[in-house]
Amino acid sequence: MAEAKSGLNITAIRDDFPILKREIHGRPLVYLDNAATSQTPTQVIDVIVDYYSRYNANIHRGVHTLSQEATEAYEGARIKLQEHFNARKPYEIIFTSGTTHSINLVANGFVPFLEQGDELLVSAMEHHSNIVPWQMLCEKTGASLKVIPMNADGELVMETFHSLLNENTKLVFCNHVSNALGTVNPIEEIIHAAHAVGAAVLIDGAQAAPHMVADVQALDVDFYTISGHKVCGPTGIGMLYGKEEWLNKMPPYQGGGEMISEVTFEKTTYAGLPHKFEAGTPNICGGIAFGAAIDYLNGIGFDAIAAYEKELLEYATERLLSIEGLKIYGTSKNKTSVISFNVKGIHPYDIGTLLDKMGVAVRTGHHCAQPIMDFYQIPGTVRASFSFYNSREEVDILVECIQRAVQMLS
Amino acid sequence: MTIQENQAEIVEEFSMFDDWMQRYEYMIELGKSLPLIDEAYKTDDNIIKGCQSKVWVHAELEGDKLVFTADSDAIITKGIIAILIRAFSNQKPQDIIDADTAFIDEIGLKEHLSPTRANGLVSMIKQLKMYAIAYQTQLN
């Protein structure tokens, strides 16, 4: 498996991930559920251990050394994210518990700006976390939710998107990459057109961040969200990028310590950005490790990651299609290394269960995107999602194991 | 046969298998022999929540005994529910309520017992027992 065409040394990279040496049911783990959560390299695990071993302390306002070191590391991670996403200011990066929290924060922040007759546009291929908060926002404000449809290849129908936009459109939200299908959406076009009618845009970048770098200034996007655990970082930490003017306008989401400037029983003045949105003691260690994870990925290089994953996607697609009766959902030319599929006459759950017995981890079900499953009129799919640390040999094992499962189930 | 005897018989059958593959192959076989639910009862009300695959279960009192029929769109799930039905069907409601389910562990399906497991074996057992409770109340 040594050297891939893209120049990545996969053997060396795999050595960074201790979990990949595990055996499951007596067989080597083949981890293909990366779209749900990525694995964590030693470089990030070490940062977590180091934090709790050397400088665990509450941040901000502490006069002692540990607190200052922790503050420095935490704020340093914010700057890493700012630089990675090319935000104008570090305080435009808000630490959250993950994408779902980020989206809820914005949905809550928009309550004062919406009224009856306003419209929100959502794409048909969203994760439930990018649907439900907006439905709740509509219930609170009387605004209505419109849907940008998709076609059979799993691509957004852009003509319909343009015709849905009008002066009542206040917010558009869409994922950068679909979690269930891997489709890369034309977000530049979406942002540009939405801005032309005065609507703000939130892009859910959770599935894009492991594969590509978004430049929030070049995109001119209003909000961009990601989760740490999808980019080789820990769970329970994420990011909301928001343009400064929006973050200033939006009311705070939660009240508590950290987010205040002055408190009396008569009135509280809120702290400035980013603290206004970071009430309470944050996930300090998570934030620092999140920064380390971004460093790790940049150390490998996103160009090399993208090139290698493309290679892997093409190889896996070709090998999987050689299985009789196998159908892939999401066949856009522009997609990440995610393959959602079913084998004719077999429930995805049955395949997933047998694959697990053979040491292969995939996801089965509706992938928190039921509208997509309804569109294809299927109960769910099997989803194999590949990362830069997966090898071609693992693709071969996946194919062999599916064949064996199909044999057992037919 | 009592529930305990049914369970002992199932445990004995599964003890003949050396590896997981044979066990699953047998479960798939059992799934194919599941006493199927009448199409009329395949309603949303009869779907067991908490399963990644759809599972419908229907219960009917025949004399003083409760008879279960079921179906699922996934074959392994059908196998699991077939095992449960073999253990619990055609028994008095009170005996179903009182029965324990340790035999699941003994036939190597312990991993399916975790409440977080997507197949919802726990939900299935709960549903069978709920039916038993409902009919027991009726009998009283």
Side-chain angles (χ1 to χ4, degrees):
Chain A
M1 84 177 67
E3 192 91 356
K5 267 187 273 171
S6 56
L8 285 189
N9 183 341
I10 303 304
T11 313
I13 286 175
R14 289 179 68 83
D15 280 342
D16 288 341
F17 293 83
I19 208 168
L20 298 180
K21 296 189 174 64
R22 258 202 76 171
E23 288 197 345
I24 302 295
H25 305 302
R27 296 171 59 118
L29 165 68
V30 175
Y31 186 77
L32 302 176
D33 194 18
N34 295 288
T37 211
S38 54
Q39 293 305 342
T40 319
T42 309
Q43 289 84 339
V44 174
I45 297 170
D46 285 350
V47 167
I48 296 169
V49 172
D50 185 48
Y51 170 79
Y52 282 111
S53 313
R54 280 200 320 113
Y55 62 103
N56 175 32
N58 211 332
I59 54 169
H60 302 140
R61 298 178 313 278
V63 293
H64 60 82
T65 306
L66 295 192
S67 173
Q68 284 168 16
E69 284 178 8
T71 305
E72 211 168 293
Y74 186 69
E75 291 306 323
R78 195 189 306 277
I79 290 168
K80 284 177 189 176
L81 288 165
Q82 178 211 349
E83 288 171 354
H84 183 71
F85 290 101
N86 192 30
R88 262 178 221 93
K89 298 283 172 13
Y91 52 74
E92 289 179 316
I93 304 292
I94 309 293
F95 280 118
T96 64
S97 67
T99 296
T100 299
H101 179 197
S102 303
I103 292 170
N104 277 284
L105 193 159
V106 178
N108 181 75
F110 264 72
V111 172
F113 310 142
L114 296 176
E115 54 187 29
Q116 194 105 31
D118 286 342
E119 293 177 3
L120 313 184
L121 272 187
V122 61
S123 98
M125 60 175 89
E126 294 311 302
H127 190 280
H128 295 163
S129 67
N130 205 15
I131 301 175
V132 183
W134 308 114
Q135 286 173 332
M136 290 161 69
L137 176 62
C138 287
E139 277 168 26
K140 281 183 203 154
T141 60
S144 59
L145 197 65
K146 299 272 158 77
V147 181
I148 313 162
M150 64 175 214
N151 64 24
D153 284 327
E155 294 165 329
L156 292 178
V157 182
M158 292 304 284
E159 298 80 40
T160 315
F161 162 67
H162 287 287
S163 68
L164 284 169
L165 282 174
N166 63 67
E167 75 245 14
N168 296 322
T169 314
K170 292 293 183 294
L171 251 177
V172 177
F173 24 88
C174 176
N175 49 34
H176 193 167
V177 170
S178 153
N179 75 308
L181 305 174
T183 312
V184 181
N185 286 313
I187 60 166
E188 295 84 353
E189 186 182 339
I190 290 170
I191 295 163
H192 187 75
H195 284 173
V197 297
V201 181
L202 179 141
I203 299 294
D204 167 2
Q207 294 294 333
H211 310 289
M212 62 193 80
V213 183
D215 179 329
V216 293
Q217 284 193 67
L219 285 167
D220 194 29
V221 66
D222 302 283
F223 302 99
Y224 195 87
T225 65
I226 79 162
S227 294
H229 71 97
K230 310 255 197 227
V231 289
C232 300
T235 55
I237 188 78
M239 172 202 94
L240 166 68
Y241 158 80
K243 274 186 189 165
E244 184 177 359
E245 53 266 42
W246 277 119
L247 294 178
N248 278 330
K249 261 193 268 180
M250 291 190 330
Y253 181 41
Q254 289 174 322
E258 287 271 355
M259 55 76 73
I260 44 87
S261 163
E262 252 182 285
V263 178
T264 65
F265 281 106
E266 287 70 43
K267 184 171 170 59
T268 293
T269 40
Y270 302 127
L273 295 174
H275 308 295
K276 174 178 154 189
F277 293 108
E278 294 181 2
T281 298
N283 182 354
I284 303 164
C285 179
I288 296 168
F290 189 7
I294 293 291
D295 280 348
Y296 176 79
L297 292 178
N298 280 320
I300 294 172
F302 276 87
D303 288 344
I305 288 173
Y308 176 66
E309 286 178 346
K310 184 167 181 281
E311 231 175 80
L312 212 53
L313 174 67
E314 281 166 7
Y315 181 63
T317 304
E318 188 196 312
R319 290 291 329 265
L320 284 170
L321 286 175
S322 72
I323 297 172
E324 208 187 306
L326 188 142
K327 180 176 162 59
I328 292 177
Y329 297 91
T331 45
S332 172
K333 281 192 190 72
N334 197 5
K335 64 180 272 189
T336 56
S337 44
V338 168
I339 302 181
S340 241
F341 65 90
N342 275 329
V343 178
K344 197 172 176 192
I346 300 178
H347 197 282
Y349 166 77
D350 286 329
I351 293 188
T353 303
L354 296 181
L355 287 182
D356 172 63
K357 299 301 283 185
M358 296 183 256
V360 180
V362 292
R363 187 142 294 243
T364 61
H366 53 60
H367 316 298
C368 295
Q370 271 173 358
I372 297 182
M373 303 306 139
D374 293 344
F375 175 85
Y376 289 117
Q377 296 186 318
I378 49 177
T381 67
V382 183
R383 183 188 69 187
S385 50
F386 303 89
S387 177
F388 58 89
Y389 46 70
N390 289 123
S391 66
R392 285 167 80 93
E393 285 80 354
E394 288 182 309
V395 172
D396 295 336
I397 294 171
L398 170 70
V399 172
E400 264 166 49
C401 293
I402 294 171
Q403 279 163 335
R404 207 162 149 197
V406 170
Q407 214 172 20
M408 283 178 76
L409 292 162
S410 313
Chain B
M1 271 173 52
T2 65
I3 292 178
Q4 280 88 344
E5 284 164 348
N6 286 338
Q7 292 185 351
E9 196 182 75
I10 297 167
V11 169
E12 202 191 319
E13 283 170 21
F14 272 82
S15 70
M16 293 185 300
F17 306 126
D18 308 321
D19 64 6
W20 72 269
M21 240 179 132
Q22 291 176 338
R23 274 205 305 274
Y24 272 75
E25 271 167 354
Y26 186 56
M27 253 164 49
I28 291 165
E29 274 315 302
L30 289 175
K32 289 174 185 165
S33 68
L34 176 70
L36 286 183
I37 187 170
D38 190 300
E39 284 296 318
Y41 296 121
K42 269 174 123 175
T43 59
D44 285 353
D45 284 347
N46 281 334
I47 288 186
I48 297 179
K49 302 274 187 284
C51 305
Q52 214 180 75
S53 47
K54 281 188 180 156
V55 186
W56 298 266
V57 175
H58 176 66
E60 229 170 81
L61 209 51
E62 286 182 12
D64 60 350
K65 289 180 175 162
L66 203 51
V67 174
F68 294 108
T69 51
D71 200 1
S72 170
D73 53 354
I75 188 76
I76 292 173
T77 313
K78 272 173 94 159
I80 293 171
I81 192 85
I83 291 168
L84 292 181
I85 285 186
R86 213 172 118 196
F88 295 113
S89 192
N90 220 4
Q91 300 290 333
K92 290 181 178 156
Q94 191 58 51
D95 294 341
I96 298 170
I97 296 166
D98 295 338
D100 82 16
T101 51
F103 81 109
I104 295 288
D105 201 346
E106 291 174 52
I107 60 176
L109 290 178
K110 191 186 175 188
E111 65 205 51
H112 293 285
L113 270 178
S114 145
T116 55
R117 193 75 193 189
N119 69 45
L121 175 55
V122 172
S123 312
M124 291 183 209
I125 294 172
K126 200 168 133 198
Q127 191 60 40
L128 298 188
K129 293 210 172 209
M130 289 295 281
Y131 273 124
I133 291 167
Y135 279 100
Q136 185 59 43
T137 318
Q138 204 174 309
L139 284 175
N140 291 341

